[in-house]
Amino acid sequence: MLELATSVQYVRGVGPRLGEILAAKGIHSVDDLLHYLPFRYEDRLNPKGVAELRAGEMATVIAEVRTSGLFRTRSMPLFQLTAGQGRARLKCLWFNAAYLRDRFKPGQLLALYGKVEEDSRSGELQLVQPQFEILDDASEKAQAGAAEKKIAASLEIGRIVPIYEATGKLTSRWFRRIIHTALENLTPDFPEPIPTAVRQRLSLIPPREALQKVHWPEAGESLKDLQTARTPAHVRLIFEELFFVELGLELKRREQKAQTGIAFRLDDHVRNAIKRILPFHPTPAQKRALKEIASDMGSSCPMRRLLQGDVGSGKTIVAFEAAIIAIENGFQVALMAPTEILAQQHYFSARRILENAGYRITLLTGSLERGRKREVRRHISQGNAQLVIGTHALIEQTVEFDKLGLVIVDEQHRFGVLQRFKLMKKSDAHAGTAALSPFSSGQAPGGPGERSSPVIGEPDVLVMTATPIPRTLALTLYGDLDVSVIDEMPPGRTPIVTRRVSDDQAIEVWRFVRKQIAAGHQAYVVYPVIEENEENELKAAIQMHRELREKIFPDLHVGLLHGRMAADEKENVMRDFQAGAVHVLVSTTVIEVGVDVANATVMVIEHAERFGLAQLHQLRGRIGRGAAKSYCVLMTGGKISEDGERRLDAMVRTNDGFQIAELDLELRGPGEFFGTRQAGMPSFRVANLIRDRQLLEAGKREAAAVLAAPNADIPREEVSRALRYMRTRWQKTYGLVEVG
Ligand code: ADP
Ligand code: MG
């Protein structure tokens, strides 16, 4: 019998070698395997007859191979296959598909799935680029016994068939067989971690049954519910996942509320200090955000607040206002940025805005020379530095503060949700035991005599993000945070005009750039450097810089900025650009986040098709920051994928961060969107935060109900069973031991 915790390699047909391939996909245990859900289902119970097909629909057809062959057309090799059902025939086409040449033999049984289209010349119906499975593969037949063949066949036809995402050589059919085997041998003895009352309220089916039916739906199941993940089996599994995430978040939130924070004083003195530094009138949205932050800071519960606002909405000044509250109360502030360039940028703004008012600001970067770094750290640990700016890594790992009152985390798009959990864990870890965390106060190496009072309370935490997730979703997802939203742009902005052009129109683009510069503005030219190809692409960016400098704009100042440059070089270039001494800045995506030069009105993005949507939107957010009209030019070269087209389209169509985010979410899936994959952590196994918004809200509601128990509804042992299960889940998924 297989237990859920059994390693997946012990499922018959897997073994250690394939087990490794699965592990790379995050599938380690039988439990993981069973939560690898089909991404769609095919109705092979009632497959369509060729005669029933209609143009424009998606259809599954089961038919035999009659003839097949590769044709050379003028533009590309075309693979054509004729499938037959009795006397009816259906033509199938694949473009650029030389790889299919020796794939099919006449007489093989095929399942085909794809869009039915009408041939423009003959008017005949055909399937274009269908997905296919060969249902009786001769090579497998030779090996398999008769019984196995029969089982295999019964998994492929005559039922609703689950389709899995293939990975490398592990095909959808392979998953189908392996998952079937795993379910056959699965222990009947199954824990039910969700309290009875909750299950009843949501009409949840038992977990064992849900796993069975999600993979092998019964014949009567609605195909539409299957495709939209709304069958009882789906609902059970999705709710379970979300419920336990929310339970953990809710518990954290309660614990945080119970801790003692710092109640900052908010009197006229502090208010005047804030007023003094403001370079402009804050927007109503900024005022509202500050009010919410100030009220948290004034209370004795530690603040855990998310400040959300699209690129350019003006989060920085709000963060600085919060910093002043802490500093004027005699505390230090840490501002952590995701990249060194952004840390530098914050440092420049902080100096511009805060230094005249007499605040002491320190930048801590990895590139500081050793002795200097030590000095800066001492400066911080003795409490001389009031605002410390650096990258996450630097501040988290190496800095001791004298009296830390506020941590501001600038997350932009770089910092995943789960990573943030970790950070929070770090900063809560020392409640009561001040010695462990880099955030602990009173730990100056200067000597025990200098210790300020041992209990100064938990520092407040403010997280800034430009990821515009819808508010209800943010509230539920960032269940352990309160949320403030800046939902309007500072006044006097003109919307950015976005155009796409093909790169054979480059001459005209450069002419346009030149005109803008003649009018006194500045321009960015961004070049993609995507990690896997870094070396070559970096060369291309450098070469591009040379060409622009020598051939296209010989009379202008053209600067270069990329991630491999030394920090002081970067700093110089940024400063020159900020000062207007550089007209055109050729850059890789290092400028993506936070850089703020209002006089730059043009952004040319080369190979725009290769950037992600959020990234394009972030990049574009670098312009349109002043009153002058700004232009974003998306240059493309070569072939563009369908998703690429949709990204470029969206960019031209809208400047609205929310719309862009929704589409981005749809294109990339929530795992990538929220950065959980970048952070090397598993994303949700079965839930999709957009699709399953309602279940997420139900999960939050029920989690709160469970924590309010025990009561007549939910008895004590069900509460503790749920909490125990939650802890093992969190431990496994997020590597967090501490929850609860
Ligand atoms: P982000 O939210 O992307 O961090 P910033 O804080 O960098 O945005 O602000 C973008 C630009 O708008 C900056 O140049 C900033 O000085 C300016 N700005 C912010 N708030 C206002 C305001 N209320 N009035 C005028 N300009 C503002
Ligand atoms: Mg910013």
Side-chain angles (χ1 to χ4, degrees):
M1 281 283 113
L2 295 169
E3 304 286 330
L4 285 176
T6 309
S7 164
V8 70
Q9 60 168 304
Y10 299 116
V11 177
R12 188 155 48 81
V14 181
R17 212 167 38 85
L18 296 181
E20 256 168 55
I21 301 182
L22 289 175
K25 252 194 124 65
I27 301 172
H28 305 277
S29 62
V30 170
D31 187 55
D32 295 333
L33 179 69
L34 295 179
H35 284 85
Y36 189 70
L37 301 196
F39 71 95
R40 65 179 177 84
Y41 299 81
E42 276 185 25
D43 183 1
R44 297 188 190 163
L45 186 64
N46 309 294
K48 291 260 162 132
V50 170
E52 298 168 83
L53 297 178
R54 245 175 255 128
E57 70 179 355
M58 300 296 292
T60 302
V61 175
I62 307 234
E64 257 176 37
V65 178
R66 293 284 152 82
T67 60
S68 67
L70 190 64
F71 297 86
R72 302 260 158 210
T73 68
R74 225 177 320 131
S75 51
M76 69 184 94
L78 185 70
F79 189 83
Q80 188 176 323
L81 177 145
T82 307
Q85 271 176 354
R87 272 208 237 132
R89 271 152 204 277
L90 179 66
K91 197 161 81 176
C92 305
L93 294 176
W94 289 267
F95 304 115
N96 264 323
Y99 64 93
L100 289 177
R101 189 167 10 204
D102 299 316
R103 218 35 211 288
F104 302 100
K105 312 242 162 2
Q108 279 173 332
L109 194 61
L110 289 184
L112 295 151
Y113 174 80
K115 184 151 185 207
V116 182
E117 292 184 16
E118 206 171 62
D119 182 28
S120 55
R121 254 175 290 158
S122 66
E124 270 177 68
L125 294 183
Q126 57 190 21
L127 287 178
V128 179
Q129 308 269 70
Q131 298 176 27
F132 66 89
E133 279 181 14
I134 301 173
L135 298 181
D136 50 352
D137 204 323
S139 61
E140 285 178 25
K141 238 188 223 166
Q143 296 165 7
E148 278 179 48
K149 242 183 286 173
K150 210 161 137 214
I151 292 176
S154 73
L155 299 184
E156 312 294 348
I157 9 186
R159 66 193 318 161
I160 295 174
V161 175
I163 310 292
Y164 300 91
E165 193 184 305
T167 173
K169 55 187 258 199
L170 306 182
T171 61
S172 176
R173 294 185 73 206
W174 184 86
F175 277 108
R176 208 174 291 147
R177 272 207 313 271
I178 295 301
I179 289 173
H180 188 262
T181 308
L183 282 168
E184 297 254 284
N185 297 302
L186 188 63
T187 172
D189 181 19
F190 235 75
E192 170 55 91
I194 301 179
T196 316
V198 177
R199 264 168 24 225
Q200 278 166 355
R201 274 196 286 272
L202 284 128
S203 315
L204 300 180
I205 64 172
R208 177 82 169 75
E209 184 186 339
L211 286 174
Q212 181 68 39
K213 288 186 174 165
V214 83
H215 293 287
W216 299 105
E218 286 173 348
E221 192 54 88
S222 142
L223 206 61
K224 179 165 160 279
D225 287 352
L226 283 167
Q227 310 292 28
T228 53
R230 280 298 159 271
T231 65
H234 281 97
V235 168
R236 154 79 214 201
L237 297 175
I238 292 166
F239 176 82
E240 178 180 321
E241 178 162 48
L242 295 171
F243 170 73
F244 286 108
V245 168
E246 289 296 334
L247 193 60
L249 288 172
E250 195 62 33
L251 198 62
K252 262 169 102 52
R253 177 196 275 279
R254 282 169 181 244
E255 281 171 1
Q256 276 158 11
K257 287 264 146 74
Q259 284 175 10
T260 327
I262 307 158
F264 293 100
R265 197 169 25 80
L266 273 167
D267 51 17
D268 282 345
H269 171 76
V270 176
R271 259 180 227 113
N272 287 332
I274 291 177
K275 277 208 196 106
R276 220 170 34 179
I277 60 113
L278 285 179
F280 35 65
H281 289 292
T283 61
Q286 286 171 320
K287 279 193 196 148
R288 188 170 7 97
L290 179 65
K291 209 165 142 205
E292 289 163 356
I293 291 167
S295 135
D296 283 3
M297 290 182 74
S299 104
S300 61
C301 293
M303 170 168 78
R304 296 291 180 263
R305 186 169 282 277
L306 180 73
L307 177 59
Q308 190 197 324
D310 203 353
V311 219
S313 62
K315 297 182 289 292
T316 315
I317 194 74
V318 176
F320 288 165
E321 290 174 313
I324 290 176
I325 297 178
I327 295 173
E328 289 293 339
N329 274 270
F331 285 84
Q332 291 173 293
V333 178
L335 169 53
M336 317 203 294
T339 66
E340 197 155 300
I341 295 218
L342 189 55
Q344 245 153 32
Q345 180 76 31
H346 278 313
Y347 178 63
F348 291 143
S349 332
R351 282 185 39 189
R352 202 169 57 230
I353 296 173
L354 300 176
E355 214 161 49
N356 283 339
Y359 297 109
R360 295 186 302 275
I361 303 160
T362 300
L363 177 66
L364 185 67
T365 63
S367 52
L368 284 182
E369 172 267 315
R370 277 271 276 313
R372 175 86 186 108
K373 219 184 268 174
R374 204 170 318 128
E375 207 177 296
V376 168
R377 288 214 199 99
R378 189 164 51 237
H379 188 60
I380 298 171
S381 66
Q382 292 175 347
N384 297 327
Q386 294 175 306
L387 172 59
V388 180
I389 302 175
T391 57
H392 297 285
L394 215 54
I395 294 188
E396 273 178 65
Q397 283 157 23
T398 59
V399 182
E400 281 167 13
F401 286 84
D402 175 43
K403 207 177 169 197
L404 184 62
L406 172 66
V407 179
I408 302 168
V409 184
D410 189 356
E411 187 169 88
Q412 296 290 353
H413 282 283
R414 295 286 169 105
F415 209 47
V417 174
L418 299 180
Q419 220 169 326
R420 189 176 51 71
F421 287 153
K422 274 201 155 165
L423 177 77
M424 293 295 177
K425 180 182 77 171
K426 221 163 174 175
S427 70
D428 327 312
H430 65 288
T433 56
L436 298 172
S437 162
F439 290 136
S440 53
S441 14
Q443 290 303 305
E450 285 175 24
R451 275 197 174 195
S452 42
S453 106
V455 202
I456 61 164
E458 278 293 303
D460 282 344
V461 177
L462 178 67
V463 182
M464 298 195 279
T465 177
T467 306
I469 30 182
R471 192 185 169 94
T472 51
L473 187 58
L475 279 170
T476 322
L477 178 72
Y478 291 88
D480 59 333
L481 296 185
D482 299 302
V483 183
S484 295
V485 183
I486 303 185
D487 54 5
E488 71 189 301
M489 287 288 169
R493 303 268 172 96
T494 28
I496 302 166
V497 176
T498 303
R499 292 265 154 73
R500 14 175 332 189
V501 303
S502 134
D503 58 9
D504 50 24
Q505 289 164 277
I507 303 282
E508 284 146 62
V509 172
W510 303 137
R511 198 177 298 143
F512 177 72
V513 169
R514 179 176 284 283
K515 239 171 51 199
Q516 286 287 308
I517 288 167
H521 299 303
Q522 290 164 279
Y524 296 99
V525 177
V526 184
Y527 209 88
V529 172
I530 296 157
E531 267 161 48
E532 49 218 59
N533 250 319
E534 191 164 357
E535 214 52 66
N536 285 338
E537 285 171 347
L538 197 54
K539 258 188 237 147
I542 293 169
Q543 198 173 336
M544 189 67 214
H545 168 244
R546 185 173 316 133
E547 187 177 321
L548 286 176
R549 198 185 52 191
E550 290 172 3
K551 302 220 177 85
I552 316 260
F553 303 121
D555 51 328
L556 300 178
H557 289 283
V558 182
L560 174 65
L561 184 71
H562 61 73
R564 294 278 189 87
M565 283 162 56
D568 55 339
E569 277 181 278
K570 283 191 240 174
E571 199 178 318
N572 287 338
V573 175
M574 276 315 300
R575 196 173 298 139
D576 288 350
F577 192 61
Q578 194 114 47
V582 164
H583 300 118
V584 178
L585 183 63
V586 178
S587 161
T588 61
T589 50
V590 289
I591 57 140
E592 182 186 339
V593 277
V595 173
D596 185 21
V597 177
N599 191 44
T601 57
V602 187
M603 168 157 298
V604 179
I605 304 178
E606 294 225 36
H607 290 292
E609 74 280 1
R610 289 163 61 180
F611 291 92
L613 192 51
Q615 209 175 15
L616 287 172
H617 182 63
Q618 276 285 314
L619 283 168
R620 180 170 59 181
R622 303 303 110 217
I623 56 171
R625 299 193 147 224
K629 191 157 186 172
S630 290
Y631 303 87
C632 175
V633 183
L634 306 172
M635 280 222 257
T636 58
K639 201 169 172 311
I640 304 172
S641 69
E642 202 176 304
D643 278 1
E645 285 291 345
R646 292 181 68 186
R647 291 195 294 266
L648 296 170
D649 246 29
M651 285 292 292
V652 172
R653 206 176 50 232
T654 180
N655 271 308
D656 180 335
F658 278 84
Q659 280 187 31
I660 299 243
E662 293 266 354
L663 182 65
D664 194 34
L665 205 53
E666 193 184 304
L667 290 175
R668 283 197 298 162
E672 303 243 346
F673 179 86
F674 289 111
T676 46
R677 275 194 210 160
Q678 279 128 286
M681 308 233 194
S683 39
F684 286 98
R685 295 196 296 184
V686 294
N688 170 323
L689 291 176
I690 294 304
R691 182 192 65 197
D692 303 327
R693 229 177 273 194
Q694 279 177 337
L695 286 176
L696 183 64
E697 271 158 40
K700 185 183 172 65
R701 209 169 47 235
E702 295 300 343
V706 169
L707 289 180
N711 49 33
D713 207 18
I714 306 176
R716 180 177 306 282
E717 70 275 8
E718 287 198 337
V719 176
S720 41
R721 195 189 315 141
L723 288 178
R724 252 196 329 271
Y725 187 80
M726 180 273 291
R727 285 194 187 98
T728 50
R729 280 248 66 90
W730 273 64
Q731 161 75 52
K732 188 159 171 266
T733 314
Y734 311 119
L736 295 187
V737 208
E738 256 114 313
V739 189

